[in-house]
Amino acid sequence: MSIAPDTRTATPQPLDRPLPQGNAPDLELWLTERVAFHLHRACDEIDPDTPLADYGIDSVAAISICGEIEQHYRLAVAPTIAYDFPTVHAITGHLAERLADKAKNDEEPS
């Protein structure tokens, strides 16, 4: 008998909706939704300043979130991002900076 939540009945949030913008509020909302999904919690249960480790995030969830970030933002991130930046707020700040740099570099003529 397992005490883990039954993920077979979880309803995933669609990943094919429009890409979130690179500003911090959109990033934080999107990331909170993804974290909540992987932790089997409601979005309003995720405090952006609480370390993800306090919620019991495991390596599978952390790697899944990493992959979703890469897929949605087309931005390579370290698989340890959830540990290097331990809160939703910290990850959001990091991603916002990276996306701003990427946008700036994309705008510069080759």
Side-chain angles (χ1 to χ4, degrees):
M1 179 172 186
S2 172
I3 60 170
D6 186 359
T7 57
R8 294 171 295 175
T9 60
T11 305
Q13 297 295 319
L15 290 177
D16 58 352
R17 64 184 189 196
L19 292 177
Q21 299 302 308
N23 63 53
D26 288 344
L27 282 167
E28 189 166 292
L29 176 62
W30 180 83
L31 186 58
T32 298
E33 289 173 352
R34 301 316 310 151
V35 167
F37 172 76
H38 288 286
L39 294 175
H40 310 285
R41 296 176 179 255
C43 288
D44 61 0
E45 293 180 86
I46 305 299
D47 179 341
D49 293 313
T50 297
L52 298 177
D54 288 1
Y55 292 113
I57 194 168
D58 62 15
S59 60
V60 173
I63 294 295
S64 295
I65 291 166
C66 174
E68 291 173 4
I69 291 168
E70 290 182 339
Q71 177 185 357
H72 266 41
Y73 291 103
R74 295 171 179 82
L75 182 70
V77 295
T80 57
I81 192 168
Y83 303 102
D84 297 338
F85 302 92
T87 66
V88 167
H89 194 186
I91 296 171
T92 298
H94 174 69
L95 291 176
E97 287 179 20
R98 296 271 316 274
L99 289 168
D101 289 344
K102 181 180 176 193
K104 182 180 176 183
N105 291 335
D106 289 349
E107 290 175 2
E108 292 177 359
S110 301

